[in-house]
């Protein structure tokens, strides 16, 4: 069986502390489908959606963010007023989403597998329901999707996974403003969804997720279809990966790398 793995603002340790030794590109070494976004790499950020005007300093809009996985799944925003901004302080780098209309989207990504994993480095600034990431423009009634709500309510994250049945895993205790390393994994055929926050397992759900694979969809970053449930906060990076299971050691390394990029101590 294969697995989908999605990482938000992450990386791996490979036996070293400090979060700088693991190259996330290694997660795609066997040709896995997906995407990797890294706001700390200014060479991947552009002010316009065509990718002609580089981002050079804090406060500038980001209209295009290049995918570093090698799969060409770049994230863009063609409307200038709806672009997040690049920010940096204290050695950290992020995209700031205003919670009003900022959002980005990829082209269609085709998993053709039935497992997913998400690692996220994020800061939520509001308790209003918001989508940080969603496959399809309305996951509530879609098959073969994943989604991350940050938050779903005033103090809870939600990870959603669906084959032909939808399963939501809510994790409470994270009241905005809050910065977290978020890790969710799911397996449609194995009927499993697990959420970890800041290196600790927070919840597991073994409800029936139905059948099938995760389906071909664009991924929306920062809002539902770019039209609603806008995320108010920071994203420190994003990786989406479809392929074999990520090992437990790689999970720990990824969380360590992400923690370094978000300023979180695990």
């Amino acid at each position: 069986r294969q697995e989908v793995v999605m990482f938000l603002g992450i990386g791996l340790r490979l036996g070293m502390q400090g979060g700088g030794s693991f190259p996330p590109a290694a997660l795609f070494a066997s040709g896995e489908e997906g995407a990797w976004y890294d706001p700390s790499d200014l060479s991947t950020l552009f002010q316009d959606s065509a990718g002609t005007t580089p981002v050079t300093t804090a406060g500038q809009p980001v209209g295009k963010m290049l995918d570093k996985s090698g799969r060409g799944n770049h994230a863009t925003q063609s409307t200038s007023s709806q672009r997040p901004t690049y920010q940096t302080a204290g050695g950290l780098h992020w995209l700031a989403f205003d919670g009003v209309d900022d959002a980005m989207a990829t082209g269609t990504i085709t998993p053709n597998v039935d497992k997913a994993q998400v690692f996220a480095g994020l800061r939520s600034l509001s308790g209003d329901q918001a989508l940080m990431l969603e496959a399809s423009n309305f996951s509530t009634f879609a098959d073969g999707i994943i989604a991350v709500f940050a938050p779903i309510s005033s103090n809870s994250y939600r990870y959603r996974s669906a084959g032909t049945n939808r399963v939501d895993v809510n994790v409470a205790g994270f009241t905005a403003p809050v910065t977290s390393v978020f890790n969710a994994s799911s397996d449609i055929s194995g009927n499993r969804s697990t959420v970890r926050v800041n290196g600790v397992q927070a919840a597991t759900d073994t409800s029936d997720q139905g059948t099938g694979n995760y389906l071909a969809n664009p991924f929306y970053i920062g809002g539902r279809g770019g039209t609603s449930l806008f995320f108010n906060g920071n994203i420190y990076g994003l990786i989406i990966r479809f392929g074999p299971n990520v090992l437990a050691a790689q999970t720990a390394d990824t969380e360590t790398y992400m923690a370094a990029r978000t300023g979180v101590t695990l």
Side-chain angles (χ1 to χ4, degrees):
R1 292 194 249 173
Q2 298 185 60
E3 172 166 333
V4 182
V5 180
M6 181 172 42
F7 300 80
L8 301 173
I10 63 135
L12 301 183
R13 181 186 54 199
L14 286 185
M16 296 178 62
Q17 298 297 324
S21 63
F22 181 87
L27 298 170
F28 303 91
S30 297
E32 293 85 353
E33 180 59 274
W36 166 28
Y37 308 107
D38 178 10
S40 71
D41 183 353
L42 283 183
S43 71
T44 69
L45 304 182
F46 297 87
Q47 297 183 53
D48 59 318
S49 59
T52 59
T53 305
V55 169
T56 58
T57 191
Q60 292 178 338
V62 179
K64 185 171 189 176
M65 181 166 51
L66 298 183
D67 168 21
K68 297 176 66 171
S69 75
R71 304 299 173 262
N73 294 313
H74 311 311
T76 61
Q77 173 52 263
S78 58
T79 302
S80 59
S81 62
Q82 297 179 326
R83 292 168 181 163
T85 59
Y86 164 73
Q87 301 292 346
T88 181
L92 303 178
H93 308 263
W94 64 90
L95 296 192
F97 291 76
D98 65 5
V100 177
D101 60 4
D102 290 356
M104 303 185 80
T106 72
T108 298
I109 296 178
T110 306
N112 283 331
V113 293
D114 71 347
K115 300 176 183 61
Q117 189 170 19
V118 177
F119 289 81
L122 58 92
R123 179 167 174 79
S124 178
L125 297 175
S126 171
D128 296 331
Q129 183 178 155
L131 270 158
M132 190 271 297
L133 183 73
E134 185 174 39
S136 89
N137 61 6
F138 200 71
S139 66
T140 304
F141 300 108
D143 293 345
I145 56 81
I146 51 176
V148 177
F149 293 78
I152 185 61
S153 63
S154 61
N155 71 340
S156 300
Y157 294 124
R158 169 177 288 175
Y159 177 68
R160 170 172 291 166
S161 173
T164 51
N165 294 330
R166 187 180 76 250
V167 173
D168 291 337
V169 181
N170 296 337
V171 179
F174 301 93
T175 302
V178 61
T179 304
S180 304
V181 174
F182 178 92
N183 168 9
S185 60
S186 51
D187 180 341
I188 294 173
S189 61
N191 296 321
R192 175 190 55 80
S193 288
T194 298
V195 173
R196 293 166 54 89
V197 181
N198 297 336
V200 178
Q201 183 166 314
T204 296
D205 193 303
T206 57
S207 301
D208 181 17
Q209 297 188 30
T211 60
N213 291 329
Y214 294 107
L215 302 179
N217 281 295
F219 277 75
Y220 293 92
I221 304 166
R224 168 158 285 169
T227 62
S228 64
L229 297 181
F230 291 104
F231 174 67
N232 182 8
N234 307 334
I235 295 177
Y236 298 87
L238 167 62
I239 296 176
I240 305 166
R241 174 184 178 271
F242 304 99
N245 291 352
V246 172
L247 302 176
Q250 291 178 311
T251 293
D253 285 340
T254 300
E255 291 171 341
T256 298
Y257 185 96
M258 176 55 58
R261 272 165 167 66
T262 58
V264 168
T265 299
L266 299 183

